[in-house]
Amino acid sequence: MASSHSSSPVPRPGSGSREGIHHKERDPSPPRCRPMRSLPDVCPKEPTGEGRGLCNGPSVVAEHDRWTVYSSKVNLPAALNDPRLAKRESDFFTKTWGLDFAETEVMPSFYLPNITRENFGPYLQEMAQRERIHERCKTICPNKDDVDAVSSITTNHEKSRAELEQVPKIFMKPDFALEDPATFNAVLPWSHFNSAGGKSSRDVASSKLLQEKLSHYLDVVEVSIARQISLRSEAFFHAMSSQHELQDRLQETQRAVAVLRGRTAAIDRVMCQGPLQALRTALTRKNCVKLHNKLKLMAAVHQTQPTVQLLLSTSEFVGALELIATTKEVLQQELQGIHSFRHLGSQLCELEKLIDKMMVEDFSMYARSDLNRSLKDEPQILEKVHKTNTASQKERLESLVFGLLRQRKLDFLDIYSDEMILAAKAIVTQCVAESVVHIEEIDTEVITKLVDQMRLMMFPQWFELLKNVFESFLLFLQRIKITLNVIKNVVLEVLDSNQKNRLLEEASSTASRQEAAQSQSLLQGEAELAYLTHEGLFISDALNEARQQQVALAAQEQSSAVGSRTQQSRMEIVSSDSASGTTEMAVSREQSFMSGENMMPSDLELNRVVNNIQELLYTASDVSHDRCVKVLTARAKDGSLERLSSAEFVCLSQAVESFAKDTEELCGRRSVSLRGALQSQANRFVHRFHEERKTKLSLLLDNERWKQAEVPAEFQDLVNSIADGRITLPERKAAGPDDRKPTEFLLVNGQKYAVVGTVLLLIRIFLEYCQCVNDIPSIATDMLTRLSDLLKHFNSRSCQLVLGAGALQVVGLKTITTKNLALASRCLQLVVHYIPIIRIHFETKLQPKQFSVLRHFDHITKDYNDHIAEISAKLVAIMDSLFEKVLSKYEVKAPMPSACFRNVCKQMAKMHEAIYELLPEEQTQMLFLRINASYKLHLKRQLARLGVVNDGGPQHGLVVVDVAFYTENVQALKSLERLDLNMAEIWEQKR
């Protein structure tokens, strides 16, 4: 058995050692004292047959004493087990004899011949064919050895797993402790040994059995532990052997670093004393030059405030801001900490804030004066300002925008937006006031509110006011667009200037890199000199100092350039003020932008300003539409727009649509508020329009007596225009002496329709719907829904009045005749004929995404066809009840034809007379075929009750005579001559 407290020696076959035990190699040189103690050897060496002692390294088992067999703390099987062997030896005594003895190769026998490959030649030739067959079979069948190996591994794993499963789970618990009474009693069940009479033979056997079982569990666990140790022992021993080599290399590295540090310190002490004094002298000279330059720069900065005041007196904000920014930059970089200038920075900041406030106020005043100028008296171009004789209003705006951009006051468009909204409100007020002045009926002293004044206007007066408002807002938007274009050009100019500055910077950076490459040799020489003279520092410190000296020199040159630039810009501005030249001011502003690039907004911010300018134009369009919506809703609040005629509402819709298109073309945006308000009014107009016609149709239906009406010529012309593809209402002609007389039928595509007066008016009503859609396409969807509701109402109400016999109470009809039913069916057929035409017309007015509403026409067509079918079924049912009543009294006896058949033929003739002129010939034939089928069914049932069969007897002959009489009379009716009645079906089929 294996144990974690001991380890077997590591075998090294072929090493030349007799025992095959690996020992550490010893240095042949004399031992020397190590500064660091090596790690303890966790794998002690076992004694061998040579009698030598253990290795010199310390051991975990015995730290100071010589290891003997008595030092072992585990049992003998655990000490003798070698986990690195693949399997255990059968005889454990060979352990002490060494591995070479157990696995020695047997020498070949001298009596056996030497066998070569040539001896197997004939056999290989004979077995070649079989070998090829065998190779092909190997690709199909699995290798038995592989299967056996896998099965062996699986079997061993399952076997070890099965053995471990024999151990009770209580031993595997992490909280296993025999101190716990419950655990102790579970492991050692003492209840089996507590007999009253003392120890019995049974108790002794139980204790032995328990001891053997626990020993078996111990053996199973130790075997599993040994297997795990054998799998991981090689890596552990390899790590321990490499630890000593790592310690030796660390000691050598430590000694080398100490030597290197000593040499470096000696070189620094020897070579850095003399050159340092020369460097200090050169640095003192450079400091004196810097002081002289700073004094000159202070003299230039001292003149900043008078120059700024001079620039502000000429409203040159950009030049003043540039001079302040340059001075602040010099104070922060070159003159920082100067006591005499300690208050100059705060004074310049206050002066800059004052300039910002002045620019914002000037821009607000400009926007207010420009937007509130008269829209009609003055032309729509930027006029000159009378306060100054040198700058136009456009140049003033450009100067303000340049200054605001220079200060990053990018919210100046919000100021313009607020002024724009106020000006839009004033435009509506001014237009209403100008219109009310010319209306004598409105007293402005009594009625002060604009809303009330607009409601008192007549529609022509209010419509004229609305057109004036539209015209004023178009002029207003043109003025805003001109102003915003000027602002946009300024922003684009600044953006272009930034791009030019960026290109110049790239060119200068390229040149500076070339100069740096040329001066690299000089820098290297200075670094070498610093290396020789600098005491106590490294080469990197010397290089850094040399670079800092170059940077200081460049800063000195820049400060002098800034001073000269400040003086030069100040002189240019003064000269421009004395000359009062506009061109010089523009050039000075451009130079200011070129020099103050870091003060200007970034390209991203400037692009955002450009987008905001376009959004401001969109906002102007929306504001104009919103103010027009106020005018529209103020008029519509009392419902006056709902009471407009179709022609007036069409004029209003066209004016609104024209204004919307003009603003869209001017501003590039489709505003929806005004169209939405018009759509809302259109919906109300459509609702009133629909309710009026629905009420009118209901009154016509309630007064309809369902008699055939004459068709006036104008309705025939209306139908003819629809057939020609004109879905509009024709203009009414004045009545003259040569007017055509009304006709009895309505001709539609060559087919006659007998109709009632309500259907003629219904055709005109749905043409009014189509005409309204032609004039106002935006209400097509709503109008389609209302028209479908109207058609449904006509269908349901006519069904209630005719099929439901509601006309008996509403109109006072005595009964619903077959003529009434046929006339109602023909009217429904006429409406069904026009539903596809109406559908096609509405389809041309709808967007493709709105085609789903056309399904209403499919539902209406189905409802109408169902209604027509119900009327046909009602006509058949009337005759069916008559046949049932008459044929129930039928008797087969002379005289022939019988009275029953005479009565049936009479009723059939009346039915034909009632519907023949109303229904087409095809429908009449189909209807009589259904009536004839009902008649044959009732006759067949009556003959079955009477027992009359087709046997050629007397009764059969009498029935044949009656049937022939019926057939002759029915076929004598007009349009029924070729009708196949098939009267042979009345007889029962013989089985």
Side-chain angles (χ1 to χ4, degrees):
M1 300 296 174
S3 174
S4 61
H5 298 285
S6 64
S7 175
S8 61
V10 181
R12 297 287 180 176
S15 62
S17 175
R18 184 183 61 185
E19 300 169 346
I21 302 176
H22 174 72
H23 299 281
K24 289 185 179 179
E25 297 180 359
R26 298 188 179 182
D27 192 359
S29 63
R32 53 193 179 91
C33 181
R34 294 176 179 269
M36 296 180 61
R37 184 177 181 182
S38 61
L39 295 176
D41 190 1
V42 298
C43 183
K45 307 302 180 182
E46 294 183 2
T48 60
E50 293 183 357
R52 292 191 300 114
L54 300 173
C55 62
N56 296 330
S59 174
V60 176
V61 179
E63 183 67 27
H64 301 288
D65 299 334
R66 183 182 180 84
W67 188 89
T68 63
V69 71
Y70 300 103
S71 300
S72 177
K73 298 300 187 297
V74 296
N75 54 2
L76 185 58
L80 295 177
N81 182 45
D82 188 357
R84 287 167 292 182
L85 294 180
K87 59 182 179 178
R88 298 178 58 189
E89 295 82 3
S90 59
D91 187 4
F92 71 92
F93 290 105
T94 60
K95 184 71 175 179
T96 59
W97 299 341
L99 297 176
D100 294 338
F101 175 82
E103 299 179 1
T104 302
E105 184 179 0
V106 180
M107 295 296 295
S109 176
F110 297 100
Y111 299 99
L112 295 177
N114 188 14
I115 304 300
T116 61
R117 183 176 178 83
E118 286 74 14
N119 298 104
F120 296 92
Y123 175 77
L124 293 176
Q125 293 178 0
E126 182 181 357
M127 301 300 294
Q129 181 66 22
R130 297 184 181 182
E131 183 181 4
R132 287 193 294 269
I133 297 174
H134 175 68
E135 291 296 332
R136 287 197 300 268
C137 294
K138 282 173 65 177
T139 59
I140 302 175
C141 301
N143 193 354
K144 183 178 180 181
D145 296 337
D146 297 339
V147 175
D148 293 342
V150 174
S151 62
S152 175
I153 294 172
T154 306
T155 303
N156 293 334
H157 179 70
E158 293 179 352
K159 183 178 179 181
S160 62
R161 183 177 179 181
E163 291 176 354
L164 284 176
E165 289 180 352
Q166 296 177 4
V167 180
K169 303 299 182 183
I170 190 172
F171 294 103
M172 305 299 180
K173 293 183 178 180
D175 57 348
F176 176 80
L178 286 175
E179 294 84 358
D180 187 7
T183 305
F184 187 82
N185 292 330
V187 175
L188 299 173
W190 294 104
S191 60
H192 293 196
F193 310 109
N194 295 334
S195 59
K199 294 184 179 179
S200 61
S201 60
R202 183 179 180 181
D203 295 336
V204 173
S206 299
S207 63
K208 289 182 179 180
L209 180 61
L210 178 61
Q211 184 177 2
E212 292 177 358
K213 185 183 297 185
L214 294 176
S215 299
H216 175 66
Y217 293 159
L218 178 61
D219 294 341
V220 170
V221 173
E222 287 180 347
V223 168
S224 179
I225 292 174
R227 184 180 294 107
Q228 298 298 326
I229 291 175
S230 66
L231 295 176
R232 296 169 176 81
S233 59
E234 290 294 338
F236 174 74
F237 291 129
H238 178 70
M240 293 303 302
S241 62
S242 62
Q243 182 69 22
H244 299 291
E245 298 178 5
L246 182 61
Q247 291 177 356
D248 296 340
R249 293 182 181 179
L250 287 175
Q251 290 176 359
E252 293 177 1
T253 304
Q254 181 181 6
R255 290 193 297 270
V257 170
V259 172
L260 180 61
R261 286 182 176 177
R263 293 178 179 177
T264 304
I267 291 173
D268 290 340
R269 287 192 300 271
V270 171
M271 303 182 67
C272 295
Q273 295 295 332
L276 279 177
Q277 186 64 32
L279 291 177
R280 294 191 186 99
T281 305
L283 182 61
T284 302
R285 182 179 181 280
K286 291 179 181 179
N287 290 337
C288 293
V289 174
K290 288 182 183 179
L291 178 61
H292 181 259
N293 292 332
K294 283 188 182 292
L295 291 175
K296 292 192 296 182
L297 187 60
M298 290 173 61
V301 169
H302 185 67
Q303 300 296 325
T304 300
Q305 285 183 327
T307 307
V308 169
Q309 295 176 359
L310 180 62
L311 292 173
L312 292 180
S313 63
T314 59
S315 299
E316 184 59 35
F317 300 108
V318 179
L321 291 172
E322 176 62 24
L323 182 57
I324 291 174
T326 304
T327 305
K328 289 171 64 177
E329 182 181 358
V330 170
L331 287 175
Q332 292 176 359
Q333 295 180 0
E334 304 297 330
L335 302 179
Q336 187 176 6
I338 303 299
H339 186 72
S340 59
F341 289 154
R342 64 185 182 275
H343 300 301
L344 182 59
S346 59
Q347 293 174 358
L348 293 177
C349 291
E350 293 296 331
L351 189 59
E352 188 174 6
K353 292 180 181 179
L354 177 63
I355 295 174
D356 292 346
K357 187 176 180 181
M358 291 174 59
M359 288 191 300
V360 171
E361 291 179 354
D362 283 1
F363 183 79
S364 178
M365 291 176 58
Y366 167 81
R368 190 179 303 111
S369 61
D370 181 62
L371 293 174
N372 290 325
R373 286 188 294 118
S374 176
L375 296 170
K376 297 180 180 180
D377 296 340
E378 298 182 6
Q380 301 302 311
I381 58 174
L382 294 170
E383 292 292 321
K384 292 185 178 180
V385 179
H386 302 289
K387 296 181 180 179
T388 60
N389 298 324
T390 59
S392 67
Q393 197 172 11
K394 178 180 177 181
E395 293 170 353
R396 178 191 176 194
L397 176 61
E398 290 176 349
S399 177
L400 288 173
V401 174
F402 269 115
L404 292 171
L405 291 177
R406 175 66 177 73
Q407 293 302 104
R408 293 179 179 268
K409 298 292 182 180
L410 305 181
D411 56 346
F412 64 93
L413 293 177
D414 297 336
I415 301 174
Y416 193 84
S417 177
D418 297 338
E419 297 294 338
M420 177 184 66
I421 294 174
L422 296 176
K425 294 180 180 179
I427 287 175
V428 175
T429 304
Q430 183 180 359
C431 291
V432 174
E434 291 177 357
S435 299
V436 170
V437 170
H438 303 288
I439 302 176
E440 299 178 356
E441 293 80 2
I442 300 176
D443 190 357
T444 56
E445 296 180 358
V446 178
I447 303 173
T448 57
K449 293 183 178 181
L450 299 178
V451 176
D452 297 335
Q453 294 175 0
M454 285 189 289
R455 290 175 188 166
L456 293 177
M457 296 180 183
M458 302 299 294
F459 177 76
Q461 298 171 345
W462 177 83
F463 187 64
E464 189 66 25
L465 167 64
L466 183 64
K467 291 194 292 185
N468 292 335
V469 171
F470 288 164
E471 183 180 357
S472 299
F473 273 117
L474 286 176
L475 298 175
F476 178 68
L477 291 176
Q478 290 176 4
R479 177 173 295 176
I480 291 175
K481 186 175 181 180
I482 292 173
T483 302
L484 293 180
N485 285 337
V486 174
I487 299 175
K488 185 177 181 180
N489 292 334
V490 173
V491 177
L492 293 177
E493 182 180 350
V494 175
L495 187 61
D496 183 63
S497 176
N498 287 349
Q499 294 177 355
K500 291 180 180 179
N501 291 340
R502 193 180 302 110
L503 294 176
L504 291 176
E505 284 184 356
E506 292 177 357
S508 61
S509 63
T510 304
S512 63
R513 282 196 298 269
Q514 294 176 357
E515 293 177 359
Q518 294 175 0
S519 62
Q520 185 66 26
S521 57
L522 177 60
L523 177 63
Q524 186 67 26
E526 292 181 356
E528 292 175 356
L529 181 61
Y531 174 76
L532 295 175
T533 59
H534 210 289
E535 182 177 3
L537 295 179
F538 296 101
I539 298 176
S540 59
D541 298 328
L543 290 173
N544 291 335
E545 184 177 0
R547 289 192 182 95
Q548 289 176 2
Q549 290 176 1
Q550 276 196 346
V551 170
L553 182 60
Q556 178 182 355
E557 294 175 356
Q558 183 179 3
S559 63
S560 61
V562 167
S564 61
R565 183 181 61 189
T566 304
Q567 295 177 357
Q568 182 180 1
S569 62
R570 182 167 62 247
M571 294 302 294
E572 289 178 356
I573 294 170
V574 172
S575 63
S576 64
D577 177 68
S578 60
S580 300
T582 305
T583 305
E584 294 180 0
M585 292 173 63
V587 172
S588 175
R589 181 173 62 235
E590 184 177 358
Q591 291 177 354
S592 299
F593 278 111
M594 295 291 289
S595 61
E597 178 194 3
N598 55 348
M599 298 296 180
M600 294 301 297
S602 62
D603 291 351
L604 180 61
E605 292 174 336
L606 291 174
N607 289 325
R608 190 181 297 116
V609 171
V610 173
N611 294 334
N612 291 339
I613 291 173
Q614 189 63 37
E615 289 294 331
L616 184 58
L617 185 60
Y618 296 157
T619 304
S621 176
D622 294 339
V623 168
S624 301
H625 281 252
D626 291 341
R627 302 316 303 178
C628 294
V629 168
K630 296 289 185 181
V631 177
L632 192 65
T633 53
R635 177 70 178 181
K637 194 170 183 180
D638 59 349
S640 58
L641 294 182
E642 300 175 16
R643 296 188 294 270
L644 296 179
S645 64
S646 301
E648 291 175 340
F649 195 86
V650 167
C651 293
L652 175 61
S653 175
Q654 292 175 351
V656 171
E657 188 66 25
S658 176
F659 175 71
K661 289 182 179 179
D662 292 339
T663 55
E664 181 179 354
E665 181 180 358
L666 183 62
C667 302
R669 178 168 180 169
R670 180 182 177 87
S671 299
V672 297
S673 59
L674 185 57
R675 285 191 175 98
L678 180 64
Q679 183 66 35
S680 177
Q681 296 300 323
N683 293 337
R684 297 178 183 177
F685 170 76
V686 168
H687 178 72
R688 181 193 59 80
F689 180 87
H690 174 67
E691 290 299 327
E692 289 180 356
R693 279 141 185 83
K694 187 175 181 180
T695 304
K696 181 179 179 181
L697 181 62
S698 299
L699 293 175
L700 292 173
L701 287 172
D702 291 342
N703 294 310
E704 182 61 58
R705 302 189 64 85
W706 297 100
K707 292 183 178 180
Q708 184 177 0
E710 294 182 344
V711 180
E714 59 174 332
F715 285 98
Q716 185 62 53
D717 295 338
L718 196 63
V719 170
N720 294 337
S721 66
I722 295 175
D724 295 338
R726 296 189 300 272
I727 316 297
T728 56
L729 286 174
E731 298 180 358
R732 294 193 176 186
K733 300 178 181 180
D738 56 347
D739 285 347
R740 291 172 293 172
K741 295 181 179 180
T743 57
E744 188 176 358
F745 296 95
L746 183 67
L747 292 177
V748 180
N749 295 334
Q751 190 176 1
K752 293 182 179 181
Y753 282 88
V755 294
V756 296
T758 303
V759 174
L760 295 175
L761 294 176
L762 177 63
I763 295 174
R764 184 175 184 85
I765 288 174
F766 69 65
L767 281 180
E768 291 176 354
Y769 279 79
C770 296
Q771 181 67 40
C772 195
V773 170
N774 292 337
D775 296 333
I776 313 174
S778 60
I779 62 174
T781 305
D782 196 11
M783 193 64 76
L784 187 149
T785 306
R786 304 305 175 98
L787 179 57
S788 62
D789 179 67
L790 185 73
L791 294 175
K792 289 178 181 178
H793 176 70
F794 174 78
N795 185 34
S796 61
R797 188 57 181 162
S798 61
C799 181
Q800 294 172 3
L801 293 174
V802 180
L803 279 178
L808 300 180
Q809 291 80 18
V810 177
V811 188
L813 297 179
K814 296 181 180 180
T815 181
I816 302 298
T817 62
T818 55
K819 191 169 186 178
N820 298 138
L821 292 171
L823 191 59
S825 175
R826 197 56 175 159
C827 292
L828 294 173
Q829 293 173 20
L830 179 61
V831 178
V832 170
H833 171 77
Y834 281 114
I835 288 178
I837 300 175
I838 300 173
R839 177 193 176 110
I840 294 173
H841 178 73
F842 273 90
E843 187 174 356
T844 59
K845 305 300 179 182
L846 294 176
Q847 299 294 332
K849 61 182 180 181
Q850 299 174 335
F851 285 169
S852 59
V853 298
L854 295 173
R855 67 180 184 276
H856 293 300
F857 289 117
D858 299 332
H859 299 160
I860 293 172
T861 303
K862 182 179 179 301
D863 293 341
Y864 271 73
N865 290 329
D866 293 342
H867 190 185
I868 294 170
E870 289 177 4
I871 293 176
S872 299
K874 183 66 175 178
L875 292 173
V876 175
I878 292 173
M879 297 302 295
D880 185 75
S881 62
L882 176 65
F883 293 152
E884 183 178 5
K885 179 179 179 182
V886 174
L887 291 178
S888 62
K889 301 177 183 179
Y890 175 62
E891 295 180 358
V892 183
K893 62 180 181 178
M896 291 297 162
S898 63
C900 178
F901 271 72
R902 292 176 184 273
N903 191 11
V904 168
C905 292
K906 181 180 179 181
Q907 295 299 328
M908 293 281 280
K910 287 184 178 180
M911 169 66 76
H912 182 270
E913 182 182 359
I915 68 174
Y916 172 72
E917 294 183 353
L918 301 179
L919 298 179
E921 182 176 349
E922 296 80 6
Q923 296 183 19
T924 304
Q925 291 178 359
M926 292 299 299
L927 181 62
F928 270 87
L929 281 177
R930 294 176 62 186
I931 293 173
N932 180 63
S934 174
Y935 171 74
K936 289 189 293 183
L937 180 61
H938 286 285
L939 180 59
K940 184 176 182 180
R941 292 175 181 174
Q942 183 63 21
L943 293 177
R945 284 196 296 268
L946 296 176
V948 179
V949 295
N950 187 10
D951 57 356
Q955 289 186 336
H956 174 264
L958 294 176
V959 172
V960 169
V961 173
D962 282 339
V963 169
F965 174 75
Y966 167 78
T967 303
E968 182 181 356
N969 279 274
V970 171
Q971 292 182 347
L973 299 176
K974 195 172 183 180
S975 74
L976 301 181
E977 296 85 359
R978 301 186 186 88
L979 196 63
D980 186 10
L981 301 179
N982 196 10
M983 298 303 295
E985 295 179 356
I986 64 175
W987 303 106
E988 291 286 347
Q989 298 292 333
K990 293 183 179 181
R991 298 180 181 177

